[in-house]
Amino acid sequence: MEISPWDNAMAQLDKAADFLNLNKDILVILKNCERINIVNLPIRRDNGKIECFTGIRVLHSSARGPTKGGVRFHPQVTLDEVKALAFWMSMKTSVVGLPYGGAKGGIICNPQELSINEIERLTRRYTSMIGTFSPWRDIPAPDVNTNSQIMAWIMDTYSMNVGETSLGVVTGKPIDIGGSLGRETATGQGMLYIMEEFCKKTKQKLDSSTTIAIQGFGNVGSAIARFLYERHNCKIVAVSDEKGGVYNPDGMDMIELKNHEQKTGSVVEFDGTTFISNEDLLRLKCDFLLPCALENQINDKIAETTEAKTIIEGANGPTLSSADKILEERDIIVVPDILANAGGVTCSYFEWVQDLHSFFWDLDRVNHELKRILAHAFDDVYKMYEKEKTDFRNAAYLVGIARIARAIELRGIYP
Ligand code: NAD
């Protein structure tokens, strides 16, 4: 039976809570999401008929500040998945030390079957009805199948509702209306910084001899692919998307691959490559495997057979808890999502700060701050990893949970 993302997240929490001997009162708070909003979204389709969609927003914890987390549009969105993603956001913002809690949202829909005008109407209706968005309460951002244009509609809808332009209500906006330089590629950029720190600490090379396989070629996957290719000349041997993957043991040109993907809508059939399935990609012999698509990709079967040396999680929740155990036994290190892909939310934090100050930074400042904050977070986790002799994910949880627990204790329970 397939384990759900929420059960997976709770298994990770239980492991860390046992390790920390966490106060049971704190544990019960962390195991329950603060708020769950589910709304019915009627929109008029272009053919004149009304159709109803379901929208979800889960606020997991606001103990450390306003809640932060993306909104995804996908036919397989479930409440269980959104709860898990909201929980992971609480952990992520805490591990990185951002003054936020965690949230996540989604609309159950297939955006490929909707026109751009229908997507706009759906986004505006969702923003109005979900009722939690505000710069001081709950700040959304892009996730799977959502982009800067959708964030612009969220900003505009909220602003119309409150009667004033509110830039800080959402991040991942276009630059012209309060977006931050570097936000589009910040998750990939952050992954690169984390990989560089990891290689420094473990005395590994990141150069033309380094082989890399990447699952998913969207915002996260294509950005990290380009950075590794351009900055370190790494050999990207396999890349995939939902239609399948491409493989070349000698490495591929990531700029050409992006052009091909933009022209054809998929990475498959890229010149000079052979087809590889998503499952085979996850098992490839390589120095780094980067899952950058969806949850639950690395199951026990993959964990038992993969020949990757290290896994860097670009996606949220790509590895099952049971698979984690197998990977640990096989000495395959997993740099967890809540650290590895935290560049996106960190740059979102910069965007929010810039919006609230109405003072905008240049790209050098954004990248400098991003590197500084992520290197610091990596260091905190690495120290915990060495001190507690546990796996990397658990070390990140120990850092994250301790900070949330402290905030809950200091604030106390109202009333
Ligand atoms: P995206 O929609 O831009 O890209 C998703 C990619 O995954 C696409 O290439 C798609 O074809 C591929 N894909 C979908 N289903 C697949 C499958 N079954 N097998 C293989 N490939 C598949 O999404 P994104 O923003 O790049 O997000 C990807 C992951 O990274 C998600 O888990 C998301 O939560 C996480 N994440 C995103 C950000 C961000 O800033 N966008 C930040 C942190 C984490």
Side-chain angles (χ1 to χ4, degrees), residues 145-158:
N145 290 329
T146 55
N147 55 24
S148 59
Q149 175 59 73
I150 292 174
M151 300 307 116
W153 291 326
I154 293 179
M155 187 279 268
D156 184 68
T157 306
Y158 175 81

Side-chain angles (χ1 to χ4, degrees), residues 72 74 85 89 92 104 142-146 183-184 186-187 215-222 240-244 261 278 291-295 297 314-317 341-345:
R72 72 172 51 172
H74 198 276
L85 291 163
M89 285 308 296
K92 195 181 302 182
K104 203 79 177 191
D143 194 70
V144 176
N145 290 329
T146 55
R183 176 60 187 88
E184 284 275 337
T187 307
Q215 184 198 38
F217 202 61
N219 177 297
V220 180
S222 69
S240 70
D241 58 34
E242 57 203 318
K243 297 191 178 132
E261 188 257 352
N278 264 291
C292 299
L294 295 171
E295 306 90 66
Q297 298 300 301
N316 288 308
N341 71 31
V345 70

Side-chain angles (χ1 to χ4, degrees), residues 127-148:
T127 305
S128 285
M129 286 198 67
I130 219 73
T132 56
F133 297 159
S134 125
W136 301 109
R137 185 182 183 196
D138 179 31
I139 308 141
D143 194 70
V144 176
N145 290 329
T146 55
N147 55 24
S148 59

Side-chain angles (χ1 to χ4, degrees), residues 217-232:
F217 202 61
N219 177 297
V220 180
S222 69
I224 183 62
R226 205 191 82 207
F227 289 133
L228 286 167
Y229 176 73
E230 284 186 340
R231 309 253 177 100
H232 294 279

Side-chain angles (χ1 to χ4, degrees), residues 51-341:
E51 194 172 332
C52 288
F53 294 85
T54 302
I56 304 172
R57 184 75 180 167
V58 174
L59 276 50
H60 171 262
S61 166
S62 62
R64 299 185 63 261
T67 54
K68 189 88 193 77
V71 176
R72 72 172 51 172
F73 289 1
H74 198 276
Q76 264 104 46
V77 164
T78 62
L79 175 58
D80 184 288
E81 175 194 55
V82 180
K83 279 169 62 185
L85 291 163
F87 166 80
W88 285 320
M89 285 308 296
S90 297
M91 293 301 143
K92 195 181 302 182
T93 52
S94 182
V95 168
V96 183
L98 306 178
Y100 288 138
K104 203 79 177 191
I107 301 181
I108 306 170
C109 68
N110 185 351
Q112 275 153 20
E113 289 169 2
L114 297 170
S115 72
I116 189 82
N117 293 327
E118 289 168 337
I119 290 176
E120 178 176 353
R121 290 197 284 278
L122 193 55
T123 304
R124 289 186 183 278
R125 184 79 190 198
Y126 175 77
T127 305
S128 285
M129 286 198 67
I130 219 73
T132 56
F133 297 159
S134 125
W136 301 109
R137 185 182 183 196
D138 179 31
I139 308 141
D143 194 70
V144 176
N145 290 329
T146 55
N147 55 24
S148 59
Q149 175 59 73
I150 292 174
M151 300 307 116
W153 291 326
I154 293 179
M155 187 279 268
D156 184 68
T157 306
Y158 175 81
S159 297
M160 291 300 110
N161 288 346
V162 297
E164 59 189 37
T165 294
S166 173
L167 299 181
V169 67
V170 58
T171 58
K173 299 181 295 300
I175 304 294
D176 292 329
I177 50 168
S180 176
L181 291 170
R183 176 60 187 88
E184 284 275 337
T185 52
T187 307
Q189 180 74 71
M191 274 182 88
L192 181 76
Y193 292 150
I194 293 290
M195 285 179 76
E196 288 172 348
E197 293 299 314
F198 177 84
C199 288
K200 246 192 267 166
K201 282 277 195 291
T202 55
K203 300 195 177 22
Q204 286 187 62
K205 284 189 293 191
L206 205 51
D207 62 16
S208 58
S209 67
T210 312
T211 51
I212 306 215
I214 305 177
Q215 184 198 38
F217 202 61
N219 177 297
V220 180
S222 69
I224 183 62
R226 205 191 82 207
F227 289 133
L228 286 167
Y229 176 73
E230 284 186 340
R231 309 253 177 100
H232 294 279
N233 201 15
C234 291
K235 216 185 266 181
I236 320 283
V237 294
V239 171
S240 70
D241 58 34
E242 57 203 318
K243 297 191 178 132
V246 283
Y247 172 67
N248 181 340
D250 299 324
M252 295 174 276
D253 181 325
M254 286 302 112
I255 313 299
E256 292 292 319
L257 180 61
K258 186 73 194 164
N259 290 340
H260 168 82
E261 188 257 352
Q262 274 170 344
K263 254 188 260 152
T264 65
S266 172
V267 296
V268 295
E269 292 185 0
F270 179 52
D271 275 353
T273 64
T274 50
F275 182 85
I276 184 167
S277 70
N278 264 291
E279 198 169 324
D280 287 345
L281 179 144
L282 296 173
R283 291 210 189 95
L284 265 186
K285 186 175 167 99
C286 58
D287 295 310
F288 292 99
L289 168 63
L290 277 46
C292 299
L294 295 171
E295 306 90 66
N296 288 10
Q297 298 300 301
I298 303 181
N299 54 28
D300 296 10
K301 205 169 87 186
I302 303 279
E304 276 155 12
T305 48
T306 186
E307 291 189 66
K309 282 195 207 143
T310 302
I311 297 174
I312 315 279
E313 295 184 333
N316 288 308
T319 311
L320 292 181
S321 222
S322 48
D324 259 337
K325 275 193 206 124
I326 300 167
L327 293 169
E328 199 188 345
E329 280 158 20
R330 296 187 60 213
D331 285 331
I332 299 172
I333 294 185
V334 180
V335 181
D337 45 9
I338 55 174
L339 176 67
N341 71 31

